[in-house]
Amino acid sequence: MFSFLFGHKNTKPRLRFAPSPTGFLHIGSLRAALFGYLLAKSQGGDLILRIEDTDQKREVTGATESLIKVLKIMGLEFDEGPHLGGKYGPYIQTQRLDIYHEYSDKLLAEGKVYRCFCSEERLTEMREAQEAKKEAPRYDRLCRDLSVAEAEAKIKAGEKFVIRQKMPLNGEVKVYDELRGEIIFKAADLDDHVLIKSAGIPTYQFANVVDDHLMEITQVTRGDEWLGSFPKNILLYRDFGWTPPKFIHMPLILNKVGGGKLSKRKGDVFVEDYLAKGYLPEALINFCVLLGWHPKSDQEIWTLAELKKEFSLAGMGASPAIFDTAKLDYYNSYYLRQKSVAELTKLCLPYLVKAGRDIGDLKRTEKFTALAQDRLKTLSEIGATTDFLFELPAYAPELLRWKILTLEEAKINLARLKSELEKINEGNWTKDRLEKTILTWIKGIGGQNGDYLWPLRVALTGLKNSPSPFEVADALGRGESLRRLNLA
Ligand code: GLU
């Protein structure tokens, strides 16, 4: 059903991701981009990238390029944007200042907004007095009724001004959110907030509305921290005589521990941090989509390709989503296990280099990563997980003992194992062959598995806990395995 299209010239759904270039990409922003992308694609529509850089104090150089890069790694592609062009550009707000001025002039001429000449000092005093009385800070509307002549005289005298939105003085403002239904705001609670700052730069509240209209956006997906702005935005659409797009305020993301909004203090919140730690894009996507979307079945694993078909507004809810990193680890382990050994090794190489490992022998490195594959939660764990393969750790001889086995007995058992293993040639040196041969041999001599396999495993790994001796021997190869046995 494309009922949301009424009032728009366009017949194709158009959604936008509208980040502010203030630094790294927050997980919440990734989810916003993802939901925008999926709603657009599942309806055969377009996704537009618009850079909202009107808060120049918070802008970080390079942030736009970096977020484009990260979203590309995630597999999210745009149809229009500053990097792609398109017929609704420019797509960077500071390049659209003339457009905003044209539209604010229109509202000024119609008396729907007004110039406010109040000084910073006056506004600060007002705010402090309101805070002292525990009142919500708001503008007292002193300039709202200035006559045109008074305003012009002030401009002539060189006084600076901002442009404020004229809020209704009484009554209610009804808005409609696609997930929450109707929400009613009391006009008395709305502030005549600033639309254009004194330097002629629009605020989010103004630029966002003008752009969503001019770019013919049909559905707005944004975080629910914008719910408070919703009545102001809708009133602005009304002032312009425009039909607003549909609004979908995505639910809050809460920390698993202690609740509260997902914050940096409680752990990583930036996509770049997760990528650096070795979380795979497909795991992050799978994890993020379930922060507010509830599939019809209990299917847990979702690829982007499937989501493009299956995602729908009907599955979205308004109740807060819990950010559970254990869940993210679960998805990452899953997707790591799906990789071929060659792919996995390629992904692990930078982490192994960082851990100072000699990766010159690629075949050997592949054997090591294959052994680690089922045990990894993130790629960055590859160093610690395979250390003992690259280099035998120093261990106390005591570790070779198993239960009541004496050190002397352990040594004898190891010597016997060694001569058995020496009979197995390079070509037969595989986990299955080794396991079969050695277990049969132990059985044949009437021995206990633990008395032989424990010392063997310790001799090969130097560790108290590790994978089975046969897996390790296979990964190490014949030469290195026998060398380690000799040492033991
Ligand atoms: N620039 C806003 C932000 O980064 C966009 C909110 C919206 O999507 O409207 O939060």
Side-chain angles (χ1 to χ4, degrees):
M1 281 292 284
F2 290 172
S3 59
F4 54 84
L5 292 174
F6 84 104
H8 284 278
K9 283 173 270 165
N10 212 297
T11 52
K12 208 178 189 193
R14 288 174 58 80
L15 285 93
R16 88 299 193 272
F17 175 51
S20 301
T22 53
F24 294 125
L25 192 68
H26 193 279
I27 284 281
S29 301
L30 172 62
R31 186 193 57 173
L34 177 62
F35 281 17
Y37 175 80
L38 293 175
L39 267 181
K41 295 303 148 191
S42 59
Q43 302 174 109
D46 286 343
L47 180 68
I48 289 94
L49 176 66
R50 182 175 73 227
I51 301 298
E52 302 205 323
D53 59 344
T54 57
D55 190 352
Q56 305 243 279
K57 281 198 290 293
R58 290 177 59 223
E59 178 156 1
V60 171
T61 342
T64 300
E65 293 70 22
S66 151
L67 75 91
I68 291 173
K69 198 172 114 198
V70 172
L71 291 172
K72 194 167 177 166
I73 293 175
M74 289 294 144
L76 305 184
E77 304 273 0
F78 292 93
D79 298 287
E80 295 162 31
H83 56 312
L84 299 167
K87 65 178 171 126
Y88 295 81
Y91 294 91
I92 297 183
Q93 288 189 325
T94 50
Q95 294 172 12
R96 300 172 62 81
L97 297 182
D98 290 348
I99 302 176
Y100 306 128
H101 294 156
E102 181 191 330
Y103 283 91
S104 61
D105 284 350
K106 190 168 174 295
L107 291 186
L108 263 176
E110 292 171 8
K112 289 176 172 150
V113 298
Y114 61 94
R115 294 190 180 89
C116 166
F117 297 89
C118 290
S119 66
E120 270 311 317
E121 296 77 57
R122 179 168 190 276
L123 296 173
T124 309
E125 260 171 48
M126 197 187 318
R127 194 171 48 241
E128 284 169 358
Q130 286 162 340
E131 275 165 10
K133 282 192 272 173
K134 301 236 180 309
E135 289 172 3
R138 77 184 46 178
Y139 178 56
D140 66 0
R141 296 175 166 151
L142 180 71
C143 297
R144 180 160 163 148
D145 298 317
L146 283 181
S147 67
V148 177
E150 283 170 308
E152 270 167 11
K154 282 176 181 289
I155 297 172
K156 265 219 182 85
E159 282 190 44
K160 286 205 166 62
F161 62 87
V162 300
I163 294 178
R164 292 184 182 272
Q165 189 174 1
K166 256 188 203 172
M167 289 295 165
L169 297 174
N170 44 50
E172 288 174 339
V173 184
K174 287 185 186 160
V175 296
Y176 190 87
D177 173 74
E178 298 301 307
L179 303 181
R180 293 162 183 79
E182 189 174 76
I183 310 172
I184 300 177
F185 290 85
K186 280 208 255 18
D189 292 335
L190 301 175
D191 186 17
D192 280 4
H193 64 109
V194 176
L195 296 178
I196 308 281
K197 293 177 272 185
S198 69
I201 307 281
T203 58
Y204 165 79
Q205 312 294 352
F206 190 73
N208 190 268
V209 165
V210 170
D211 286 348
D212 280 345
H213 175 75
L214 295 180
M215 295 183 181
E216 296 187 32
I217 299 303
T218 54
Q219 286 161 300
V220 167
T221 45
R222 62 180 184 182
D224 73 354
E225 67 269 26
W226 298 107
L227 269 177
S229 307
F230 198 9
K232 305 173 192 176
N233 304 151
I234 292 298
L235 287 169
L236 204 50
Y237 278 101
R238 223 176 273 171
D239 287 341
F240 277 121
W242 296 338
T243 304
K246 299 269 169 178
F247 278 83
I248 300 148
H249 289 89
M250 293 169 292
L252 214 67
I253 306 177
L254 301 179
N255 282 305
K256 172 127 199 268
V257 188
K261 203 173 153 184
L262 185 63
S263 75
K264 181 89 192 140
R265 271 181 301 120
K266 303 251 170 81
D268 291 328
V269 293
F270 297 118
V271 179
E272 288 87 342
D273 291 335
Y274 286 101
L275 288 174
K277 274 197 203 162
Y279 285 92
L280 299 172
E282 46 273 52
L284 284 161
I285 291 286
N286 202 145
F287 173 71
C288 263
V289 80
L290 298 174
L291 295 173
W293 180 67
H294 314 278
K296 285 192 222 95
S297 66
D298 51 13
Q299 179 175 338
E300 284 196 304
I301 300 299
W302 291 93
T303 63
L304 202 52
E306 271 177 297
L307 288 167
K308 274 161 81 170
K309 285 188 242 134
E310 295 294 323
F311 190 86
S312 81
L313 190 57
M316 286 177 68
S319 46
I322 308 292
F323 189 86
D324 181 358
T325 41
K327 210 74 220 180
L328 177 57
D329 286 347
Y330 166 82
Y331 288 120
N332 209 47
S333 306
Y334 171 82
Y335 286 104
L336 285 170
R337 287 197 305 275
Q338 305 309 305
K339 298 278 174 205
S340 70
V341 172
E343 270 177 301
L344 180 70
T345 306
K346 205 166 145 210
L347 291 168
C348 285
L349 288 181
Y351 295 91
L352 288 169
V353 169
K354 211 164 145 208
R357 294 297 157 217
D358 171 13
I359 52 163
D361 180 347
L362 191 63
K363 275 273 153 288
R364 181 181 78 146
T365 307
E366 280 187 352
K367 287 220 151 198
F368 293 177
T369 55
L371 181 59
Q373 186 157 24
D374 288 352
R375 296 169 178 86
L376 289 180
K377 288 201 294 290
T378 64
L379 291 170
S380 59
E381 289 174 352
I382 190 67
T385 315
T386 56
D387 262 356
F388 73 97
L389 295 167
F390 283 98
E391 204 172 315
L392 179 67
Y395 61 92
E398 261 304 295
L399 198 59
L400 291 164
R401 291 187 43 239
W402 167 251
K403 293 192 175 161
I404 55 164
L405 203 68
T406 65
L407 211 48
E408 201 45 44
E409 286 164 335
K411 199 173 160 189
I412 295 167
N413 292 358
L414 278 174
R416 296 180 70 185
L417 273 165
K418 198 184 132 220
S419 42
E420 281 317 299
L421 285 166
E422 273 168 346
K423 291 182 205 156
I424 306 173
N425 64 26
E426 201 85 60
N428 285 331
W429 197 270
T430 64
K431 175 185 165 274
D432 292 344
R433 285 299 257 281
L434 289 164
E435 184 161 4
K436 204 163 158 232
T437 315
I438 296 301
L439 291 184
T440 314
W441 173 76
I442 296 173
K443 206 168 169 192
I445 60 167
Q448 295 287 325
N449 278 350
D451 291 346
Y452 290 86
L453 300 188
W454 175 275
L456 175 61
R457 201 185 51 70
V458 172
L460 292 174
T461 65
L463 300 174
K464 195 163 165 203
N465 301 308
S466 71
S468 88
F470 307 113
E471 276 180 276
V472 177
D474 183 354
L476 289 174
R478 187 176 187 273
E480 176 65 11
S481 300
L482 293 175
R483 188 187 74 83
R484 290 185 181 196
L485 269 179
N486 248 338
L487 265 170

